[in-house]
Amino acid sequence: MAATTQNGGKVATTEEDRRKVFGLAARDSSGVLSPFHFYNRKNGEDDVTIKILYCGICHSDLHQVKNEWKNTVYPSLPGHEIVGLVTEVGNNVGKFKIGDKVGVGCLVGSCHSCENCIQNQENYCSKLILTYNSIDTDGTITYGGYSDKIVVNQHFVVKLPENLAMDKVAPLLCAGITVYNSMKSLGLNEAGKHLGVVGLGGLGHIAVKFGKAFGMKVTVISSSMKKREEAIKQLGADDFLISSDPQHMQGAIGTMDGIINTVSAKHNLVPLIALLKTKGKLAMVGAPEHPLELHVAPLLFGGKTITGSLIGGMKDTQEMIDFAGEHNITAEIELIGADYVTNEAMKRLAKADVRYRFVIDIGNTLYSVEQLG
Ligand code: NAP
Ligand code: ZN
Ligand code: ZN
């Protein structure tokens, strides 16, 4: 028995197919999150159940809860930077055991048989199931990591390196793989090349760290001076430009092999294209809600490319996490309690006022807000 939701998905309703879960969900586009009880499927043969300890807050969560991409199904329970401990494994699960430290990113399902899936690019599968706001294999709506537990097919679970702090690893599951994959596909992982990183937020600051670990020269292009000192002293960037200052940008024209653009809102691409060398590439990973204007001439002169990139496949996600483990790379985070999520966090994220990722301490604080529901 299942009830139908507005996008044709189902919500599990029988005792046999459900498992009680608690989390924080948005009920409308106000951006406010509040306590929400729901049901997950029970652990299947190929599934792993994870007790969630930490979950990062990606700007995509904010776009989604505010329905900025016009596809949100409410209640919407975000969170796709999930880390926790395995509490149950199905009979077919060989890769994980109870107690393992694991992570789940943006993907929880794909078809496993299309060209993209076969080439380990599940992120581009047309039947891709996202961690939240998607329809799961059993027809239910997926709910994300701002919750106490999640059931995930083992293929979409990665092992975490023992040497990294779990709270600081969480953002790698989306922000980390997104920038790692786009950098790798554009050849922006080679020592000596010059990488530009536009927008120093959750994605951007990890791109700086990966860029330095690959041995590149890294220049941050930011909307103000505010993050300059941290970018250089704390994150290791070599240079820092202010996008709105033409004089400042002038000195870097034609110097970059590639740029990772993480900006979450409408902005001008022309000054960024100008920073590229001949044949340079600009990867769009930010997903502004409004269309950007594209002036073609700056692309023609210099044979430049603008491309897009969406998160990454599971093989690359494990590779990225292992690379982070080897190079001791984690996110800079503000660890927050569940109560902060229900009021301040989304407002501050909207103003780019986070250093550099909010991570929710689910394990220690989630139940403290249960009585608010
Ligand atoms: P974030 O932490 O909010 O960082 C975005 C940064 O963009 C801000 O810190 C700010 O950097 C800059 N920015 C914001 N508004 C701006 C404006 N109006 N003009 C110029 N710069 C502005 O967000 P995030 O979590 O890194 O995510 C960034 C974007 O990537 C979002 O749109 C998100 O949905 C998208 N995303 C895409 C993928 C993918 O697979 N492609 C995966 C994850 C996220 P400064 O302060 O330095 O200017
Ligand atoms: Zn994300
Ligand atoms: Zn597929």
Side-chain angles (χ1 to χ4, degrees):
M1 256 278 290
T4 305
T5 67
Q6 59 191 95
N7 72 348
K10 292 181 291 173
V11 176
T13 51
T14 62
E15 279 304 326
E16 309 84 71
D17 66 3
R18 68 190 193 167
R19 172 173 278 176
K20 209 169 180 185
V21 190
F22 172 64
L24 296 173
R27 298 337 206 272
D28 55 41
S29 60
S30 63
V32 174
L33 290 121
S34 56
F36 176 57
H37 291 92
F38 63 103
Y39 294 93
N40 262 345
R41 67 168 187 268
K42 281 194 175 163
N43 198 83
E45 301 272 281
D46 292 299
D47 290 336
V48 169
T49 298
I50 300 161
K51 174 184 160 53
I52 300 174
L53 296 181
Y54 302 102
C55 185
I57 300 186
C58 177
H59 202 112
S60 300
D61 300 350
L62 180 60
H63 288 305
Q64 198 80 70
V65 298
K66 289 186 149 181
N67 196 20
E68 289 178 348
W69 295 331
K70 309 291 178 228
N71 67 350
T72 305
V73 177
Y74 295 104
S76 171
L77 196 151
H80 56 208
E81 293 184 338
I82 300 169
V83 298
L85 302 175
V86 173
T87 56
E88 198 175 337
V89 291
N91 286 336
N92 296 340
V93 175
K95 226 164 88 180
F96 302 102
K97 59 180 189 321
I98 292 171
D100 280 355
K101 293 178 184 174
V102 292
V104 176
C106 303
L107 307 180
V108 292
S110 70
C111 82
H112 300 284
S113 57
C114 73
E115 204 177 325
N116 287 316
C117 284
I118 289 164
Q119 289 171 359
N120 298 308
Q121 299 186 131
E122 302 90 337
N123 49 318
Y124 296 129
C125 174
S126 62
K127 299 203 169 114
L128 143 91
I129 303 172
L130 295 167
T131 306
Y132 63 85
N133 202 48
S134 260
I135 299 179
D136 209 345
T137 45
D138 63 355
T140 61
I141 298 291
T142 56
Y143 293 125
Y146 300 6
S147 64
D148 56 0
K149 52 182 158 313
I150 191 163
V151 181
V152 184
N153 180 297
Q154 60 173 329
H155 184 76
F156 298 94
V157 179
V158 294
K159 286 189 186 188
L160 303 186
E162 280 299 326
N163 60 318
L164 302 180
M166 285 177 85
D167 52 354
K168 297 186 171 68
V169 167
L172 298 181
L173 274 308
C174 171
I177 181 58
T178 300
V179 296
Y180 183 91
N181 184 39
S182 55
M183 288 164 75
K184 191 176 152 184
S185 11
L186 264 58
L188 296 173
N189 56 355
E190 290 164 23
K193 282 191 175 174
H194 185 186
L195 169 74
V197 176
V198 194
L200 196 63
L203 269 59
H205 90 286
I206 297 174
V208 173
K209 291 192 180 196
F210 280 143
K212 291 313 296 174
F214 290 134
M216 306 176 80
K217 174 179 177 186
V218 180
T219 297
V220 171
I221 302 118
S222 189
S223 55
S224 75
M225 276 295 277
K226 285 184 213 156
K227 300 171 182 171
R228 185 176 194 280
E229 201 169 322
E230 287 163 21
I232 291 172
K233 288 199 180 140
Q234 197 178 329
L235 303 173
D238 299 285
D239 206 352
F240 189 95
L241 304 172
I242 297 151
S243 51
S244 56
D245 179 344
Q247 265 184 330
H248 207 187
M249 296 284 278
Q250 187 72 29
I253 282 179
T255 64
M256 297 180 189
D257 295 282
I259 296 177
I260 303 295
N261 184 350
T262 76
V263 174
S264 53
K266 195 168 179 179
H267 60 289
N268 187 359
L269 291 177
V270 173
L272 303 177
I273 297 168
L275 299 175
L276 292 169
K277 288 180 183 170
T278 300
K279 300 268 177 171
K281 290 176 180 156
L282 170 65
M284 301 296 296
V285 292
E289 61 186 291
H290 299 297
L292 306 188
E293 246 178 75
L294 181 62
H295 294 268
V296 172
L299 288 178
L300 307 187
F301 289 87
K304 298 170 183 177
T305 304
I306 296 187
T307 179
S309 188
L310 183 75
I311 40 178
M314 295 317 299
K315 188 165 176 271
D316 283 325
T317 305
Q318 188 66 62
E319 179 186 301
M320 174 278 307
I321 284 274
D322 294 343
F323 179 85
E326 281 159 34
H327 294 264
N328 240 321
I329 294 173
T330 51
E332 302 300 313
I333 67 163
E334 292 190 40
L335 188 64
I336 57 171
D339 57 333
Y340 201 74
V341 183
T342 60
N343 50 63
E344 285 303 311
M346 291 299 179
K347 287 185 221 156
R348 282 189 51 203
L349 181 58
K351 292 188 285 186
D353 173 27
V354 190
R355 299 296 195 273
Y356 280 88
R357 195 55 133 196
F358 284 129
V359 172
I360 314 167
D361 187 351
I362 299 277
N364 291 311
T365 70
L366 184 65
Y367 298 122
S368 67
V369 296
E370 199 169 8
Q371 77 289 350
L372 302 176

